[in-house]
Structures are given as structure tokens and as C-alpha cells.
Amino acid sequence: MGRTLAGILAGAAHGRFPDTDGRTTVVPAPSDRDTGAIAFTAHSVVFTDEDPGWVRATLAALECDALAATMHPRFLTAFLERTGRVTDTIDLLAVADPLPGGPALELREVSDSVHPRATSARRRRDGVRMWEADGGVLVLGRGVAGRWEVAVELDEDARHRGLGRALATAARHLVPPGEPLWSQQAAGNARSIRAFQAAGFRPVGSEVLLLDNGQGQDTGGA
């Protein structure tokens, strides 16, 4: 397993996951903005510049299943208080392979968009680009540890027509060859989860990001 978050994510994107040994790996935060935790199957990864000893001691003090400790509210509360950060939700983290050729869906790229989805993405990602389709938008950028991330949003009257799936599929055509595409959906957003999975995104774990005050979390949408 890679000893950096980028290395761990690269492995997971290709089906190589951390050992299912019930342990937690602590790695340095990949950037000043990116701090958080990912729970894979029976193994968690905490990415932070805080003392790894503090992370392990705090997890060990919880009276809960060790496999669930990094997503436990008491650990996350302590993590937030120690770092002075905030968070919105625990997300399902999913990944898909890029697709060749152009997307089948007609898209119009928008420069300097003031759409709330694009504004939120710029606070959390680098190199953000946005496309519009009739009834929805698609936003791409490089997020945690430099990974490509996608978010989509639909107009209310465009729902239940397969547009969320079509936008998520289109995004797979827009990333460079060989680059996996990641998405995050709030665990309770079943509609978005179904759309992304129908578009070929594979669930790999749960993720919580700790944000600087003033930053907004940008989950997959749909």
C-alpha cells in the first residue's frame, strides 16, 4: 500500500485496497486544504498533519467497533476541535475509469460561471471547469490529493429522466486518458448514489473532509 494519500487512492482506483486488518493508517495531509479520513473495508486512512499519536490515542479511547472508529461522531468532533476546522457530511466515495472519445450528451462549456456549484467547487478544487446541458450542470476539477473529481446538479424539473446518469457518464469522457474520476455523494442522497452507480462509478469507501472555515463541501449532487 502506498504511504501517501495519493498512492493509496491510486491503488484503490485499480482495485488494490489496504489490508483488511482493522487498522488505521495515518499519512500526511496532501495539502493545507485537504484533511480528513477515508474508511475502506476494515481499514481506515486518516490524512492530517496532526500528531499520529494523538489520532491513535483518540481512536483507541472510543467505546465502539474499531472498524467504525474513524467515522464515529466523537472522533470526528475531537478531530474538528483539534484542527479548528468544520465539516458538512460523511460521503460515499466512488471512482470510475475514464472513457474514450467525446460524450454522447450535448454539453456547453461555461467560462467564469457564477453558478453556486462552480463557486463551491473552486473553493475545494483546482482547475475547475463547468459544462451545461439542458436541465443540469457538470463540474470537474482536481480535488483531494490531486485526484479528478466530478459533481453534477440538476434543475428540479429535469429530474427522473436519466439526466444525472448521463452527466456522470459524460464526465468520464472529459478526464485525461488513464486518469480515474472520483465522486462523493452524501450517504443519504440515494438518488445521486443510484445515478453515479448507473454511470459506472464503483463505491470504495466512506470519506469525511475537514474544511477551513468558509469553505463549502461539494458532493456529487444529482
Side-chain angles (χ1 to χ4, degrees), residues 2 11 13 15 23 27 29 35 46 60 65 94 98 108 132 151-152 154 164 173 186 196 198 201-202 205 207-208:
R23 301 177 63 184
V27 297
T35 292
V46 176
D65 184 341
R108 302 175 297 277
E132 290 181 342
V152 305
L154 307 185
H173 291 273
F196 274 88
F201 284 77
R202 308 179 298 274
E207 178 178 81
V208 60

Short mmCIF file of all heavy atoms in Angstrom, two decimals, residues 2 11 13 15 23 27 29 35 46 60 65 94 98 108 132 151-152 154 164 173 186 196 198 201-202 205 207-208:
data_model
loop_
_atom_site.label_atom_id
_atom_site.label_comp_id
_atom_site.label_asym_id
_atom_site.label_seq_id
_atom_site.Cartn_x
_atom_site.Cartn_y
_atom_site.Cartn_z
N GLY A 2 0.49 2.24 -0.78
CA GLY A 2 1.24 3.48 -0.81
C GLY A 2 1.27 4.15 0.56
O GLY A 2 0.35 4.01 1.36
N GLY A 11 -4.04 3.19 -5.76
CA GLY A 11 -4.24 1.75 -5.62
C GLY A 11 -5.71 1.39 -5.59
O GLY A 11 -6.16 0.45 -6.26
N ALA A 13 -8.21 2.96 -6.83
CA ALA A 13 -8.83 3.17 -8.14
C ALA A 13 -8.65 1.96 -9.04
O ALA A 13 -9.44 1.75 -9.97
CB ALA A 13 -8.26 4.42 -8.80
N GLY A 15 -8.40 -1.20 -7.76
CA GLY A 15 -8.83 -2.38 -7.03
C GLY A 15 -7.83 -2.91 -6.03
O GLY A 15 -8.00 -4.02 -5.51
N ARG A 23 -6.96 -1.98 11.00
CA ARG A 23 -6.06 -0.93 11.49
C ARG A 23 -6.40 0.41 10.84
O ARG A 23 -7.17 0.51 9.89
CB ARG A 23 -4.62 -1.32 11.20
CG ARG A 23 -4.20 -2.62 11.86
CD ARG A 23 -2.78 -2.99 11.50
NE ARG A 23 -1.82 -2.00 11.99
CZ ARG A 23 -0.52 -2.05 11.74
NH1 ARG A 23 -0.04 -3.02 10.97
NH2 ARG A 23 0.29 -1.13 12.21
N VAL A 27 -1.45 9.24 7.43
CA VAL A 27 -0.50 9.78 6.44
C VAL A 27 -0.56 11.30 6.49
O VAL A 27 -1.55 11.88 6.95
CB VAL A 27 -0.82 9.27 5.02
CG1 VAL A 27 -0.67 7.76 4.93
CG2 VAL A 27 -2.21 9.70 4.58
N ALA A 29 -1.18 15.14 5.48
CA ALA A 29 -2.15 15.82 4.63
C ALA A 29 -1.48 16.16 3.30
O ALA A 29 -0.35 16.67 3.29
CB ALA A 29 -2.67 17.07 5.30
N THR A 35 -7.66 17.73 4.63
CA THR A 35 -7.53 16.96 5.86
C THR A 35 -8.80 16.14 6.01
O THR A 35 -9.89 16.61 5.68
CB THR A 35 -7.36 17.89 7.07
OG1 THR A 35 -6.09 18.55 6.99
CG2 THR A 35 -7.43 17.13 8.39
N VAL A 46 -6.38 8.11 7.81
CA VAL A 46 -6.56 9.48 8.27
C VAL A 46 -5.43 10.31 7.67
O VAL A 46 -4.26 9.96 7.80
CB VAL A 46 -6.52 9.57 9.80
CG1 VAL A 46 -6.60 11.03 10.27
CG2 VAL A 46 -7.68 8.76 10.41
N ALA A 60 -8.41 4.91 20.01
CA ALA A 60 -8.39 3.81 20.97
C ALA A 60 -9.29 4.07 22.16
O ALA A 60 -9.77 3.12 22.80
CB ALA A 60 -6.95 3.58 21.44
N ASP A 65 -17.03 -0.15 17.85
CA ASP A 65 -16.38 -1.08 16.95
C ASP A 65 -15.18 -0.38 16.31
O ASP A 65 -15.32 0.70 15.72
CB ASP A 65 -17.38 -1.51 15.89
CG ASP A 65 -16.84 -2.57 14.93
OD1 ASP A 65 -15.61 -2.74 14.85
OD2 ASP A 65 -17.67 -3.22 14.26
N ALA A 94 -16.67 7.20 -4.47
CA ALA A 94 -16.76 6.28 -5.60
C ALA A 94 -15.79 6.70 -6.68
O ALA A 94 -15.36 7.86 -6.76
CB ALA A 94 -18.19 6.25 -6.15
N PRO A 98 -11.82 6.38 -16.89
CA PRO A 98 -12.16 7.28 -17.99
C PRO A 98 -12.69 6.50 -19.18
O PRO A 98 -12.41 5.31 -19.34
CB PRO A 98 -10.82 7.96 -18.30
CG PRO A 98 -9.79 6.96 -17.87
CD PRO A 98 -10.37 6.28 -16.67
N ARG A 108 -22.21 22.30 -23.16
CA ARG A 108 -21.70 23.63 -23.50
C ARG A 108 -20.79 24.09 -22.36
O ARG A 108 -21.27 24.26 -21.22
CB ARG A 108 -22.86 24.62 -23.68
CG ARG A 108 -23.87 24.21 -24.75
CD ARG A 108 -25.05 25.17 -24.80
NE ARG A 108 -25.83 25.18 -23.55
CZ ARG A 108 -26.77 24.27 -23.27
NH1 ARG A 108 -27.04 23.29 -24.13
NH2 ARG A 108 -27.45 24.35 -22.14
N GLU A 132 -22.62 22.96 -19.20
CA GLU A 132 -24.07 22.96 -19.05
C GLU A 132 -24.69 22.00 -20.06
O GLU A 132 -24.20 21.85 -21.18
CB GLU A 132 -24.65 24.36 -19.30
CG GLU A 132 -24.32 25.38 -18.23
CD GLU A 132 -24.95 26.73 -18.53
OE1 GLU A 132 -25.33 26.95 -19.71
OE2 GLU A 132 -25.05 27.56 -17.62
N ALA A 151 -18.81 16.73 -9.94
CA ALA A 151 -20.09 16.98 -9.28
C ALA A 151 -21.08 17.40 -10.35
O ALA A 151 -20.72 18.05 -11.33
CB ALA A 151 -19.96 18.07 -8.21
N VAL A 152 -22.33 17.00 -10.17
CA VAL A 152 -23.38 17.40 -11.10
C VAL A 152 -24.56 17.96 -10.32
O VAL A 152 -24.72 17.68 -9.12
CB VAL A 152 -23.85 16.23 -11.99
CG1 VAL A 152 -22.67 15.59 -12.72
CG2 VAL A 152 -24.60 15.18 -11.19
N LEU A 154 -28.86 19.07 -11.06
CA LEU A 154 -29.97 19.10 -11.99
C LEU A 154 -30.99 20.16 -11.58
O LEU A 154 -31.18 20.42 -10.39
CB LEU A 154 -30.69 17.75 -12.03
CG LEU A 154 -29.85 16.50 -12.29
CD1 LEU A 154 -30.77 15.29 -12.41
CD2 LEU A 154 -28.99 16.66 -13.52
N GLY A 164 -29.06 12.83 -14.63
CA GLY A 164 -27.95 12.70 -13.69
C GLY A 164 -26.98 11.61 -14.13
O GLY A 164 -25.75 11.80 -14.12
N HIS A 173 -15.80 10.93 -19.99
CA HIS A 173 -15.19 11.21 -21.29
C HIS A 173 -14.33 12.48 -21.26
O HIS A 173 -13.61 12.74 -22.23
CB HIS A 173 -16.27 11.40 -22.35
CG HIS A 173 -17.03 10.16 -22.69
ND1 HIS A 173 -16.62 9.26 -23.64
CD2 HIS A 173 -18.19 9.66 -22.19
CE1 HIS A 173 -17.48 8.27 -23.74
NE2 HIS A 173 -18.45 8.49 -22.87
N ALA A 186 -23.39 12.35 -0.56
CA ALA A 186 -23.85 12.21 0.82
C ALA A 186 -24.55 10.87 0.97
O ALA A 186 -25.32 10.45 0.09
CB ALA A 186 -24.79 13.35 1.18
N PHE A 196 -24.92 7.83 -10.06
CA PHE A 196 -23.50 7.63 -10.29
C PHE A 196 -23.16 6.16 -10.47
O PHE A 196 -22.31 5.81 -11.30
CB PHE A 196 -22.68 8.27 -9.16
CG PHE A 196 -22.40 9.73 -9.37
CD1 PHE A 196 -23.31 10.69 -8.94
CD2 PHE A 196 -21.25 10.15 -10.02
CE1 PHE A 196 -23.06 12.05 -9.15
CE2 PHE A 196 -20.99 11.50 -10.23
CZ PHE A 196 -21.91 12.45 -9.80
N ALA A 198 -25.15 3.92 -11.70
CA ALA A 198 -25.65 3.57 -13.04
C ALA A 198 -24.69 4.05 -14.12
O ALA A 198 -24.65 3.48 -15.22
CB ALA A 198 -27.04 4.17 -13.25
N PHE A 201 -19.76 4.25 -11.70
CA PHE A 201 -18.91 4.58 -10.56
C PHE A 201 -19.01 3.47 -9.51
O PHE A 201 -20.10 3.02 -9.17
CB PHE A 201 -19.31 5.92 -9.95
CG PHE A 201 -18.85 7.10 -10.75
CD1 PHE A 201 -19.52 7.46 -11.92
CD2 PHE A 201 -17.74 7.84 -10.37
CE1 PHE A 201 -19.10 8.55 -12.68
CE2 PHE A 201 -17.31 8.92 -11.12
CZ PHE A 201 -18.00 9.27 -12.28
N ARG A 202 -17.85 3.05 -9.02
CA ARG A 202 -17.75 1.95 -8.06
C ARG A 202 -17.52 2.49 -6.66
O ARG A 202 -16.59 3.27 -6.44
CB ARG A 202 -16.58 1.02 -8.42
CG ARG A 202 -16.59 0.55 -9.86
CD ARG A 202 -15.38 -0.34 -10.16
NE ARG A 202 -14.10 0.36 -10.00
CZ ARG A 202 -13.52 1.09 -10.94
NH1 ARG A 202 -14.13 1.29 -12.11
NH2 ARG A 202 -12.34 1.64 -10.72
N GLY A 205 -15.49 3.39 -0.44
CA GLY A 205 -15.42 3.62 1.00
C GLY A 205 -16.26 4.83 1.38
O GLY A 205 -17.03 5.36 0.58
N GLU A 207 -15.98 8.77 3.21
CA GLU A 207 -14.99 9.83 3.35
C GLU A 207 -15.60 11.02 4.08
O GLU A 207 -16.76 11.38 3.84
CB GLU A 207 -14.51 10.28 1.97
CG GLU A 207 -13.50 11.43 1.99
CD GLU A 207 -13.02 11.81 0.61
OE1 GLU A 207 -13.76 12.54 -0.08
OE2 GLU A 207 -11.94 11.36 0.21
N VAL A 208 -14.81 11.61 4.96
CA VAL A 208 -15.19 12.87 5.58
C VAL A 208 -14.03 13.84 5.40
O VAL A 208 -12.87 13.49 5.63
CB VAL A 208 -15.54 12.69 7.07
CG1 VAL A 208 -14.38 12.14 7.88
CG2 VAL A 208 -16.04 14.00 7.68
#
